[in-house]
Amino acid sequence: MLEFLTKSYAVASEFMKPKPKFDTYWINFLFDWQTLVAAIVAGVPAIIGAYLLWRQIDIQRLELERLRRKEETSARIQLISVLASLTRYYKSCITPILDGSHAVTDIPNQSLATLMSSAPTLDDKVFRHIQSLIVEFQIFTSRYPSATRPLANSLREIILVDLGRLHSATNALYPYARFETDAVEPAASTKNATRDSINNLIAVTNRSISENDRLLIERALNDRFPRKTSSTVPPVEP
């Protein structure tokens, strides 16, 4: 019985099996699998095209990065002369401010324009630092124009602190401009940091700090950085 079933299955399988349409095996294979073969033949050029497109995009990205680095390097090289020009301007202002008069000196507008044009090509944090420096510089020059007349005490104290902050922010850019670092540490906007910056600026002008200078600096700092007082009233013991 088992032998009969086996032979019957073999006969049925032979009967059900489609007869080849061609005498050659590979031609029959291509005929039976033509859809798959067509997909493979169409897919290979598509894969090659996608790879070539990816390579082109990658090459363009590398080229753009190379150009950006080149522009950044050029901008950093220009920073040295720009920062030196700004520092010379600060030095020309500090002594007249301490003496209560205006500085008769030209504002370095060209240096400021160079700083503005180079800032967008630099690192985002450096850009924001320069942007803040430019804004503070414009505020300072609007308060302290070149003129020959005495300064009011309140204005004198305000622009003294402004100048100290400007000098501190400018000094923070020097290591970056000299390629000593690729980052700019933000200048601390504190009372002690501003005092140190003012004293440093006075020192580079070879001026001896007098007692009147110290009093003026402390008065200006106290106005800009008032002492914090507690709003909580302690309980009174009976």
Side-chain angles (χ1 to χ4, degrees):
M1 183 67 178
L2 181 60
E3 184 180 356
F4 172 75
L5 292 174
T6 303
K7 290 182 178 180
S8 299
Y9 177 77
V11 172
S13 299
E14 189 67 24
F15 180 77
M16 295 291 293
K17 184 178 180 180
K19 293 182 179 180
K21 296 179 176 61
F22 304 97
D23 296 333
T24 305
Y25 170 78
W26 288 110
I27 295 177
N28 283 309
F29 176 82
L30 292 174
F31 183 84
D32 293 336
W33 298 92
Q34 58 182 323
T35 303
L36 176 61
V37 172
I40 293 174
V41 171
V44 170
I47 293 172
I48 295 174
Y51 172 76
L52 293 176
L53 179 61
W54 174 79
R55 282 293 300 157
Q56 183 179 5
I57 292 173
D58 191 53
I59 291 171
Q60 290 177 346
R61 180 185 62 80
L62 292 174
E63 179 64 15
L64 289 174
E65 179 65 18
R66 186 186 70 82
L67 291 175
R68 190 194 69 80
R69 287 288 184 183
K70 185 177 179 180
E71 291 177 353
E72 181 183 4
T73 301
S74 176
R76 288 174 72 170
I77 291 172
Q78 294 182 69
L79 279 180
I80 293 292
S81 60
V82 169
L83 298 177
S85 176
L86 294 179
T87 301
R88 285 194 298 271
Y89 175 71
Y90 304 153
K91 287 170 63 177
S92 68
C93 293
I94 185 65
T95 296
I97 291 174
L98 292 173
D99 293 338
S101 62
H102 284 83
V104 185
T105 185
D106 293 331
I107 298 173
N109 291 316
Q110 184 58 45
S111 296
L112 200 64
T114 302
L115 195 61
M116 289 178 178
S117 62
S118 63
T121 64
L122 301 174
D123 177 80
D124 188 54
K125 290 184 178 180
V126 181
F127 170 77
R128 290 199 298 269
H129 183 92
I130 291 177
Q131 186 180 45
S132 176
L133 172 61
I134 291 172
V135 170
E136 291 193 16
F137 187 90
Q138 291 174 332
I139 292 173
F140 174 80
T141 54
S142 68
R143 289 172 172 168
Y144 188 56
S146 296
T148 54
R149 63 176 183 270
L151 287 172
N153 283 335
S154 57
L155 178 61
R156 183 181 173 196
E157 294 161 2
I158 290 172
I159 60 178
L160 178 61
V161 174
D162 287 346
L163 188 61
R165 287 164 56 91
L166 275 175
H167 183 54
S168 180
T170 302
N171 281 346
L173 284 168
Y174 272 105
Y176 178 79
R178 297 189 186 112
F179 294 89
E180 296 172 1
T181 178
D182 287 329
V184 174
E185 295 297 328
S189 181
T190 62
K191 184 176 183 179
N192 289 336
T194 306
R195 181 191 295 108
D196 292 341
S197 178
I198 294 172
N199 290 335
N200 174 264
L201 189 55
I202 295 173
V204 297
T205 61
N206 296 321
R207 174 189 174 110
S208 299
I209 302 179
S210 66
E211 185 61 28
N212 287 335
D213 292 340
R214 289 192 180 89
L215 292 174
L216 173 63
I217 293 170
E218 290 306 313
R219 188 165 64 248
L221 291 172
N222 289 335
D223 288 343
R224 180 64 65 90
F225 303 96
R227 181 179 299 175
K228 294 181 180 180
T229 56
S230 175
S231 58
T232 304
V233 179
V236 180
E237 295 182 2

